[in-house]
Amino acid sequence: MTFSASFTIKSTLMAAALAVAGLPAFANEGAIGARQGQFKIMALNIGVLGGMARGTVDYDAAQAQIAADNLAAISQLNQAFNWPEGSDMMAATTNRALPAIWENQDDFLAKWAAFGTAATGLQAAAGNGLEAMQAALGPVGGSCGACHDAYRQPQ
């Protein structure tokens, strides 16, 4: 093997090693972005329903149903890829996820499941009138708040 071929192989291996070394950071950035996107979609749909519940927006059964359907769909997303170890606020400054998520993974996932149960209830009630939607929106907000209180750094 010539020096040139040996150097090329070593350079290629070095570049591959450096690329692989950067994968955890890239994976964390992707996961953080995905979960932030998920939460923005949740906030948009909760905002639609919240406006109707407060009376700042007229209740529209079709729009309420769309927003509730969206929340129920999001609640069914498997969270396995969204929360890799090392993607908390201590490791990446682009989010407010507390390290407690990874210390209490079972409780965190139970809170996500509670959101799913509440979102499914809202989905069933959203198109059945303002009062039914308002009553079902409360548990959704409660499930969100329970998770935020335990696992999200306040602003």
Side-chain angles (χ1 to χ4, degrees), residues 13-34:
L13 290 174
M14 179 73 80
L18 289 173
V20 170
L23 284 179
F26 177 76
N28 287 349
E29 288 176 22
I32 291 168

Side-chain angles (χ1 to χ4, degrees), residues 15-147:
L18 289 173
V20 170
L23 284 179
F26 177 76
N28 287 349
E29 288 176 22
I32 291 168
R35 68 186 187 229
Q36 287 175 339
Q38 172 181 280
F39 292 136
K40 286 178 182 177
I41 292 169
M42 291 167 63
L44 172 68
N45 287 280
I46 290 170
V48 167
L49 295 165
M52 290 180 198
R54 287 187 303 277
T56 58
V57 175
D58 289 339
Y59 172 77
D60 179 318
Q63 295 298 309
Q65 193 63 59
I66 290 168
D69 289 347
N70 288 342
L71 290 170
I74 289 170
S75 76
Q76 298 305 306
L77 293 175
N78 187 309
Q79 296 298 299
F81 299 129
N82 289 0
W83 304 94
E85 192 78 38
S87 66
D88 60 77
M89 62 174 274
M90 307 307 283
T93 59
T94 59
N95 73 107
R96 298 186 302 165
L98 292 172
I101 291 171
W102 294 270
E103 296 163 7
N104 305 305
Q105 192 76 186
D106 289 343
D107 182 61
F108 173 73
L109 292 175
K111 285 179 176 18
W112 181 257
F115 165 69
T117 299
T120 301
L122 177 60
Q123 184 180 32
N128 297 326
L130 177 60
E131 293 78 18
M133 187 271 298
Q134 287 171 319
L137 187 57
V140 170
S143 68
C144 292
C147 198

